[in-house]
Amino acid sequence: MIELIVMAIFGVVAYVFYKMMLKEPILPWKEKKFMNQIPHQIKRNKKEKA
């Protein structure tokens, strides 16, 4: 039984490490807020440069 707990913990750690390396949000339901900020920031940066 302890082997399953250790494997589950290792799986969670590997998942978090993978998401951090790809710079993606770890929790999938947080992604919508993250994606909405990017186009707004790009538009703002284009206006400031012009």
Side-chain angles (χ1 to χ4, degrees):
M1 184 66 179
I2 193 139
E3 294 90 6
L4 292 175
I5 296 171
V6 170
M7 288 176 63
I9 292 171
F10 179 74
V12 170
V13 169
Y15 175 78
V16 170
F17 181 75
Y18 171 75
K19 289 293 187 174
M20 287 175 63
M21 288 295 112
L22 294 179
K23 296 184 180 177
E24 294 180 359
I26 296 170
L27 301 174
W29 54 87
K30 298 277 185 171
E31 184 175 0
K32 291 180 183 176
K33 291 180 182 176
F34 179 73
M35 294 303 290
N36 287 340
Q37 290 178 345
I38 293 174
H40 180 66
Q41 289 175 349
I42 291 171
K43 290 179 185 176
R44 183 184 299 168
N45 288 340
K46 286 181 181 178
K47 289 180 183 177
E48 289 175 359
K49 288 181 182 178

